[in-house]
Amino acid sequence: MSDGGKPMRLWGGRFEGGPADALTRLSVSVQFDWRLAPYDLLASRAHARVLHRAGLLEDDELNRMIGALDDLEHACVSGEFRPTVADEDVHTALERGLLERLGALGGKLRAGRSRNDQVATDLRLYLRDHVRHIVSRLVELETALMSQAEQHAETAAPGMTHLQHAQPVSFGHQLLAHVHAFARDIDRLRDWDRRAAVSPLGSGALAGSSLPLDPQAVAEELGFGSAAPNSMDAVADRDFAAEFLFCAALVGVHLSRLGEEVVLWASQEFRWIEMDDAYSTGSSIMPQKKNPDVAELARGKSGRLIGSLTTLLTVLKGLPLTYNRDLQEDKEPVFDSVDTLLLVLPAVAGLVATMRVNTARLAASAPDGFALATDLAELLVRKGVPFRDAHEAVGHLVVWCQVHDKTLDEITDEELAKVSPHFTPDSRDVLNVPGALAARKAHGGTAPDRVRDQLVALREIVDAQASWAAGA
Ligand code: ARG
């Protein structure tokens, strides 16, 4: 940004002196809101057409206005037009650009419009556009998780509760659990989009306009579903930003949980996976190290995503209607969360897509920690033993095994019978991991066949999500 010339202000008329430097420095937002420029220009074109239809711009004036806006857009893209610190915000900078091109005619565009409805419109347009990019990146992560899940539908792994071995699961089932979380995130963002598709333009500063504008036509041109039904709400409302930040924070939380699992899986203690060199880092001092920085950063970045949400909610709390300058503080948390997700998601997708799963080790440790104890208890239940008694009997068996340093499948028939009369030689039939997985075949269970069913259903959902993001 250059240091600019004479400060450009949209509000100088009633002031005798210029603003203090300290005020100017506090007030300026163009250094971060400049990224709204393409959306501000879109909205300006729609507004120009509405002014024309209202008879407030001649045909020739409209053509010159649109031409100048197009030219300004090119100049912004090429970098030939840049905001300066003398421009208070993106709207001011672009009005300067328009005046430079059109002279007095440029001043006609502001009729019936205020920065209050403009900025609310720009931020909605920006977010609706970027949410589609975020969803595309989420789809890539879902796809990476699903293709690993497909390869590992049959791979047995220790399933955990309390981070303790609980029951064996298909590793594919566990990977798909993460896909379901991300699929809900996308569903939430699509639902958000429906609520965000309301155009504030036409609300003016707060009360609408006495000029014969057509807010519905503007809304339609900008791809919104409708125009705001209440001008005061339209300029004061930042629910769309807060709700987006909640959705982003929850994606962050989901990424942090996946990230934490990857950190564990890659550790020497687990050794469930090996990360590809391209998605792991070394240590500056310990030559042997291979660190899970991608997963750790995914975990860590959830902190700033949650922080953005709390920042905005705190800004909004207690604000009287309608527009207050506090609302300028909405943009940085929104931009930061968008940037963070667009940065983290491709890295996590790459990490997942390229990780190598140590199938043999997973399968070998799946029965550890007496993970088949529930299968044994359920076998007794099928024979008519009350679950309470079955639980007790298997509990005794586990203690017996611990005392004798044996695993469940190492016990002899005689030893079984000694612990409880409920146990018969066929009890040992259920003490194998593939059988335990296959047995959990009810809807939602970890049986490999059910995992494959889930994959079929998820593929359909994810395809629809990808088409939505692509604008289809
Ligand atoms: N830069 C301002 C913002 O981000 C634009 C709206 C300014 N409106 C005003 N009445 N000063 O909120």
Side-chain angles (χ1 to χ4, degrees):
M1 210 180 297
S2 82
D3 55 3
K6 186 171 160 335
M8 166 83 185
R9 280 194 302 279
L10 304 182
W11 43 267
R14 63 155 291 177
F15 289 84
E16 279 175 13
D21 282 351
L23 163 63
T24 305
R25 280 197 299 275
L26 173 65
S27 180
V28 65
S29 61
V30 75
Q31 70 279 21
F32 56 80
D33 67 18
W34 182 241
R35 68 164 89 186
L36 296 177
Y39 305 97
D40 200 76
L41 287 162
L42 266 179
S44 285
R45 277 189 281 258
H47 186 63
R49 279 191 264 273
V50 155
L51 289 177
H52 172 249
R53 279 200 294 278
L56 300 166
L57 283 181
E58 305 291 333
D59 291 352
D60 164 62
E61 288 179 323
L62 174 68
N63 289 338
R64 283 167 56 212
M65 186 78 84
I66 298 289
L69 287 167
D70 290 347
D71 183 61
L72 183 54
E73 173 136 55
H74 289 135
C76 290
V77 172
S78 71
E80 182 201 321
F81 182 83
R82 302 291 305 151
T84 76
V85 290
D87 296 318
E88 186 180 304
D89 55 21
V90 58
H91 323 288
T92 312
L94 291 174
E95 182 161 323
R96 175 172 61 80
L98 202 60
L99 292 172
E100 282 166 9
R101 282 161 179 76
L102 289 177
L105 174 60
K108 285 200 169 188
L109 190 61
R110 216 197 295 163
R113 189 171 77 161
S114 151
R115 282 184 292 168
N116 298 354
D117 57 348
Q118 232 177 315
V119 76
T121 305
D122 293 357
L123 194 58
R124 281 176 190 258
L125 287 171
Y126 165 88
L127 263 182
R128 294 190 69 213
D129 195 12
H130 283 75
V131 156
R132 283 153 176 82
H133 298 307
I134 291 169
V135 168
S136 295
R137 301 293 83 76
L138 278 165
V139 163
E140 285 158 12
L141 175 55
E142 290 175 321
T143 305
L145 285 162
M146 288 192 310
S147 71
Q148 289 282 5
E150 186 174 20
Q151 290 170 54
H152 295 289
E154 306 263 356
T155 302
M160 306 210 179
T161 62
H162 310 269
L163 205 60
Q164 307 283 329
H165 285 222
Q167 294 177 18
V169 293
S170 143
F171 191 54
H173 194 52
Q174 176 152 357
L175 293 168
L176 292 187
H178 289 286
V179 177
H180 285 284
F182 293 120
R184 285 193 298 275
D185 287 329
I186 294 180
D187 203 39
R188 209 169 280 115
L189 286 167
R190 290 175 67 177
D191 194 49
W192 167 89
D193 187 64
R194 194 173 50 76
R195 263 186 302 288
V198 176
S199 169
L201 223 52
S203 300
L206 79 163
S209 175
S210 66
L211 302 172
L213 305 176
D214 186 353
Q216 296 285 4
V218 173
E220 207 170 302
E221 177 167 345
L222 295 176
F224 289 112
S226 61
N230 181 313
S231 59
M232 294 180 78
D233 180 43
V235 295
D237 167 34
R238 292 295 182 275
D239 291 3
F240 68 95
E243 196 180 346
F244 164 76
L245 289 176
F246 170 73
C247 297
L250 197 52
V251 172
V253 168
H254 292 151
L255 285 169
S256 78
R257 296 183 72 171
L258 174 60
E260 169 64 8
E261 296 219 317
V262 171
V263 169
L264 287 171
W265 298 344
S267 69
Q268 195 58 36
E269 285 64 29
F270 275 67
R271 280 186 288 121
W272 287 12
I273 60 158
E274 190 182 340
M275 296 170 297
D276 194 81
D277 284 0
Y279 289 94
S280 41
T281 49
S283 155
S284 53
I285 176 167
M286 298 163 283
Q288 83 287 7
K289 290 277 292 214
K290 194 165 176 186
N291 289 330
D293 289 26
V294 170
E296 291 170 313
L297 284 166
R299 196 174 55 186
K301 298 267 187 202
S302 63
R304 64 196 292 163
L305 291 164
I306 295 167
S308 294
L309 172 63
T310 49
T311 297
L312 183 63
L313 288 176
T314 312
V315 167
L316 296 177
K317 180 186 173 301
L319 280 189
L321 294 180
T322 54
Y323 178 84
N324 302 275
R325 193 63 182 275
D326 315 46
L327 291 175
Q328 181 164 294
E329 293 295 313
D330 61 355
K331 280 170 276 302
E332 286 164 294
V334 164
F335 296 156
D336 191 72
S337 288
V338 168
D339 291 347
T340 299
L341 288 180
L342 292 178
L343 198 61
V344 177
L345 287 167
V348 178
L351 173 69
V352 170
T354 57
M355 71 187 189
R356 284 177 295 282
V357 178
N358 190 346
T359 312
R361 182 167 165 84
L362 276 178
S365 52
D368 285 358
F370 307 103
L372 294 169
T374 315
D375 294 76
L376 203 50
E378 287 179 356
L379 174 76
L380 299 188
V381 166
R382 283 196 293 277
K383 291 180 168 181
V385 180
F387 186 75
R388 194 182 159 75
D389 300 339
H391 189 283
E392 180 92 356
V394 178
H396 289 317
L397 188 62
V398 166
V399 174
W400 189 93
C401 287
Q402 281 175 326
V403 169
H404 295 87
D405 196 21
K406 287 194 174 194
T407 60
L408 282 175
D409 61 340
E410 286 167 353
I411 316 174
T412 65
D413 294 348
E414 297 70 43
E415 289 166 339
L416 266 182
K418 240 189 284 168
V419 176
S420 163
H422 290 313
F423 295 125
T424 48
D426 67 334
S427 300
R428 280 190 295 115
D429 294 352
V430 297
L431 294 178
N432 74 86
V433 169
L437 291 191
R440 286 163 172 76
K441 58 181 189 293
H443 179 82
T446 194
D449 283 346
R450 291 296 83 72
V451 174
R452 282 184 280 266
D453 291 347
Q454 260 186 87
L455 266 167
V456 171
L458 276 170
R459 272 201 202 98
E460 204 172 307
I461 291 170
V462 171
D463 282 352
Q465 295 176 332
S467 321
W468 180 83

